[in-house]
Amino acid sequence: LRNDYGLDCEVLSARPDVAKREGAVVAQAGRLGAVTVATNMAGRGTDIKLGGSASDVARLYVEERLRGGDGADLLGVRGRDESLLEISSATHDLVDEARKAAVALLEDDLEEGVADLVALAADGRAVSKAPAVLACRKAVDAVVKDVGEVLREEKQQVEALGGLYVVGTERHESVRVDDQLRGRSGRQGDAGASRFFVSVKDPMFVNFGGERIADMMKTFRVGDDLPVEAKTVTDALSKIQRKVEDFNAEQRTNVLKFDDVQDGQRRALYATRRRLLLADGDEASSTFTRWVADSIIATARSVDREKVDDPDALLATRLGQFFGKAPALDASASKALRDGDADALAAAPAVAALAGDILERVGAARPMRPAAESFTKVALLRLDALWAEHLLNMNCLKENVQLRTLQQTD
């Protein structure tokens, strides 16, 4: 459209260099003949007033002049040379005086402090006797007086032409965002209209049932270059949009459940790390003994007693391979092992002796530090490595669940 009709327009997006001019562009977006191309997120929190806003133009113009610019781009509409607003020589003098006062007040912080200074001056409720604030207020009021009458006339012309016209090139996944975009026109009773141009080949419709609409268009032999305006098509698009919203809501709910589970795991891990870091030698030895008992129970569970002729011998072999030698468990320790009671198993003399023997071997291999301290360091390193691996696996699991949900399979 820009090329076909030779339109010159302003472009708003999330790019940092463009975002700096967002206020200036939005302030001019309601002027006669202004064309603004923007993303859905652009200009949030700023009203588009028909005919432009004299107060916004004045504030931004004075702000630009205080920074050393000429502010010419704030006084006209792009592509309309006759739209340039005129500033009187007396107003220019007031702006020059405001700049001198601002430089004297802010000095090296002029670039960062100008916006706050002008905002304070433009706020009629703010009470300040600072020379810079008073000078800026006079400059802003003078600019408002110069441009106000012209913008009021432009507002009448814009209203006569139908007001602000919003053109949407694609439906958003959220109805709320589309409604906000429509709400740009018809603001507080102003004249305006909106229209969306949608293709069944848009990603949202391709992923969530747009083939039904495509089949409908084939049935009625609608050409690719022929626009379709029918309540049936609009209703079908709305249903697809609601389906996308429901899917996204379910995704957010699943993410919250996932985060709650992971938060519990994170708390347990950090409680273990904190206990290891704060433990003295005896506590570290007790923790190590408990971990030895847990390892024995885990090894015992790996032995399939129904498929092995001598499961006790196989368990002793595996424990010997893991610990260097297998502990000789008495009756009470064997019962704790069968019950999976790690506390009772850790209290067994054979398990305590096995843990002590391992710590002695660690101490002999590392004579420069106590064995319990060596255990703590190794345990922390291993915990961190296992936690990082667990997080990676959980992310892969989450992505797999999301893909299966999208595929609508259990």
Side-chain angles (χ1 to χ4, degrees):
L1 288 175
R2 290 176 57 187
N3 295 331
D4 292 345
Y5 292 93
L7 298 177
D8 198 358
C9 64
E10 293 283 0
V11 178
L12 278 179
S13 66
R15 286 173 46 190
D17 57 326
V18 177
K20 292 179 180 179
R21 301 184 57 253
E22 183 173 293
V25 173
V26 174
Q28 299 280 22
R31 292 194 59 190
L32 182 65
V35 178
T36 306
V37 178
T39 63
N40 271 331
M41 300 302 294
R44 285 287 183 91
T46 307
D47 287 334
I48 299 178
K49 299 179 181 179
L50 299 187
S53 170
S55 59
D56 289 342
V57 170
R59 178 176 54 80
L60 294 169
Y61 174 77
V62 172
E63 186 177 317
E64 181 66 19
R65 286 287 303 276
L66 294 187
R67 288 195 172 97
D70 59 4
D73 58 331
L74 296 166
L75 300 177
V77 175
R78 197 164 184 170
R80 284 186 61 229
D81 296 335
E82 70 278 7
S83 66
L84 189 64
L85 301 172
E86 295 185 359
I87 303 297
S88 65
S89 58
T91 301
H92 280 295
D93 293 339
L94 290 175
V95 174
D96 291 338
E97 292 177 7
R99 172 171 169 72
K100 293 178 182 178
V103 171
L105 175 67
L106 300 174
E107 297 179 348
D108 296 336
D109 297 329
L110 181 66
E111 189 68 25
E112 292 78 13
V114 159
D116 292 335
L117 175 62
V118 176
L120 180 63
D123 186 357
R125 297 169 297 177
V127 178
S128 176
K129 295 183 179 180
V133 175
L134 295 177
C136 288
R137 183 169 296 166
K138 289 180 180 179
V140 171
D141 292 343
V143 176
V144 170
K145 185 176 180 181
D146 285 347
V147 305
E149 185 62 32
V150 177
L151 294 183
R152 279 191 292 270
E153 293 177 0
E154 278 198 12
K155 179 180 180 181
Q156 295 176 357
Q157 297 176 29
V158 172
E159 289 176 338
L161 293 172
L164 182 69
Y165 196 89
V166 174
V167 177
T169 59
E170 186 178 351
R171 285 285 190 98
H172 195 272
E173 291 183 353
S174 171
V175 177
R176 175 182 57 83
V177 175
D178 284 345
D179 289 343
Q180 288 178 339
L181 184 59
R182 289 189 183 97
R184 288 293 190 173
S185 61
R187 167 191 165 273
Q188 298 183 5
D190 286 342
S194 63
R195 173 164 294 197
F196 281 76
F197 293 85
V198 182
S199 169
V200 294
K201 295 181 181 179
D202 288 342
M204 182 174 67
F205 302 119
V206 171
N207 295 332
F208 292 91
E211 66 276 359
R212 177 184 172 188
I213 301 176
D215 293 341
M216 187 188 307
M217 296 177 69
K218 289 180 181 178
T219 302
F220 292 102
R221 297 180 180 179
V222 178
D224 292 339
D225 57 345
L226 182 65
V228 177
E229 295 182 271
K231 189 176 186 301
T232 305
V233 176
T234 302
D235 291 343
L237 294 177
S238 299
K239 288 180 181 178
I240 292 176
Q241 203 169 22
R242 284 195 296 270
K243 185 188 295 186
V244 176
E245 283 190 322
D246 293 340
F247 172 77
N248 290 336
E250 184 180 357
Q251 289 289 86
R252 290 192 295 270
T253 302
N254 291 336
V255 168
L256 179 60
K257 292 178 181 178
F258 176 86
D259 288 343
D260 287 341
V261 172
Q262 200 167 60
D263 182 63
Q265 296 171 345
R266 185 181 297 107
R267 290 176 183 274
L269 173 83
Y270 280 102
T272 302
R273 292 187 87 261
R274 189 178 300 108
R275 187 167 62 251
L276 287 172
L277 287 170
L278 300 178
D280 55 19
D282 293 337
E283 290 183 29
S285 299
S286 176
T287 301
F288 179 69
T289 304
R290 169 59 188 265
W291 285 16
V292 169
D294 289 334
S295 300
I296 293 175
I297 292 174
T299 305
R301 288 174 177 170
S302 69
V303 176
D304 191 344
R305 293 183 171 272
E306 296 180 357
K307 297 182 179 179
V308 180
D309 295 334
D310 191 355
D312 293 333
L314 178 59
L315 175 61
T317 301
R318 290 186 178 180
L319 291 177
Q321 293 172 346
F322 190 77
F323 292 112
K325 67 176 183 178
L329 302 179
D330 55 19
S332 61
S334 298
K335 182 178 183 302
L337 178 59
R338 289 192 299 271
D339 296 340
D341 188 349
D343 291 330
L345 184 60
V351 175
L354 176 61
D357 180 64
I358 295 174
L359 288 177
E360 286 181 5
R361 280 182 278 165
V362 171
R366 298 171 178 265
M368 300 301 295
R369 65 174 63 187
E373 184 179 339
S374 297
F375 156 69
T376 300
K377 182 176 180 180
V378 173
L380 288 172
L381 291 173
R382 188 58 182 156
L383 271 178
D384 292 344
L386 290 173
W387 177 245
E389 182 180 352
H390 173 72
L391 290 179
L392 180 61
N393 292 334
M394 290 294 286
N395 283 334
C396 293
L397 175 63
K398 181 170 67 171
E399 291 179 4
N400 184 43
V401 171
Q402 289 174 345
L403 290 174
R404 292 179 72 86
T405 302
L406 184 62
Q407 195 178 7
Q408 296 182 349
T409 58
D410 294 334

